[in-house]
């Protein structure tokens, strides 16, 4: 599986760091939705779904967490701990997020509005779809 990381330019200086995210400049889609996870529990694993259409970019703004990405052929475990780096998640990729640090803030940019019909929440169905 091809894992795409996007490295953001840090416009920071001696006052601190600054990263800007812009449609079709450093983000490879039009941003329709932004959501973020915080107060996550270290022992809780979440996600457990794939999307039919949706493309997303995940950025850990603070702390760290791990992603399991699975395209039906290969599973890859990824540590996200750098706010200057985005993890691009294609459609038809099963994802699970876990090992959240206590201070983790996980930002997700998405190319569509929330749509439950776009979710595949059953792993066996996902495997059937990607076969
Ligand atoms: P859920 O899909 O369980 O989160 P995760 O994939 O991170 O485990 O989403 C939790 C709840 O939030 C669920 O009721 C759907 C809702 N939700 C929205 O209303 N809008 C959104 O953009 C997202 C991602 C979730």
């Amino acid at each position: 599986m091809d894992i795409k990381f996007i490295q953001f330019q840090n416009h920071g200086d001696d006052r601190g760091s600054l990263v800007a995210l812009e449609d079709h400049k450093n983000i490879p889609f039009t941003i329709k939705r932004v959501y973020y996870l915080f107060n996550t529990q270290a022992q809780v694993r979440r996600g457990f779904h794939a999307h039919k259409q949706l493309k997303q970019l995940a950025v850990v703004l603070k702390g760290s967490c791990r992603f399991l990405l699975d395209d039906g052929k290969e599973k890859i475990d990824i540590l996200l701990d750098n706010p200057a780096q985005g993890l691009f998640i294609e459609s038809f990729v099963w994802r699970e997020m876990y090992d959240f640090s206590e201070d983790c803030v996980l930002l997700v940019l998405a190319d569509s509005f929330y749509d439950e019909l776009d979710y595949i929440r059953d792993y066996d169905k996902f495997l059937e779809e990607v076969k």
Side-chain angles (χ1 to χ4, degrees):
M1 188 184 352
D2 193 17
I3 301 295
K4 287 191 200 108
F5 282 106
I6 299 179
Q7 200 62 42
F8 306 129
Q9 189 182 347
N10 186 343
H11 301 280
D13 50 32
D14 53 9
R15 298 167 299 166
S17 299
L18 193 157
V19 168
L21 307 177
E22 295 179 286
D23 277 12
H24 294 289
K25 287 194 177 171
N26 54 0
I27 303 301
F29 51 76
T30 298
I31 302 163
K32 279 267 192 74
R33 175 165 53 109
V34 177
Y35 62 92
Y36 47 96
L37 281 72
F38 59 103
N39 290 342
T40 41
Q41 309 294 309
Q43 69 284 5
V44 169
R45 202 169 173 107
R46 57 186 302 162
F48 296 100
H49 64 261
H51 286 281
K52 297 173 191 165
Q53 302 275 346
L54 190 72
K55 293 173 180 39
Q56 301 192 97
L57 191 95
V59 186
V60 164
L61 296 184
K62 180 123 188 100
S64 64
C65 73
R66 304 193 80 94
F67 270 74
L68 174 87
L69 297 186
D70 175 356
D71 65 357
K73 294 187 203 109
E74 192 183 359
K75 293 177 204 263
I76 298 187
D77 182 82
I78 296 155
L79 172 70
L80 275 196
D81 63 354
N82 178 358
Q85 190 179 60
L87 172 66
F88 183 64
I89 308 171
E90 263 290 357
S91 47
F92 288 104
V93 173
W94 185 266
R95 85 285 320 265
E96 295 170 20
M97 294 88 84
Y98 64 105
D99 259 5
F100 290 92
S101 65
E102 208 179 296
D103 59 347
C104 183
V105 180
L106 174 62
L107 178 80
V108 184
L109 311 179
D111 74 346
S112 291
F113 297 125
Y114 175 75
D115 176 10
E116 190 55 41
L117 295 176
D118 189 61
Y119 280 72
I120 307 169
R121 292 194 184 271
D122 182 299
Y123 188 68
D124 291 333
K125 274 196 193 132
F126 163 71
L127 288 180
E128 263 169 44
E129 297 245 15
V130 293
K131 241 192 335 204

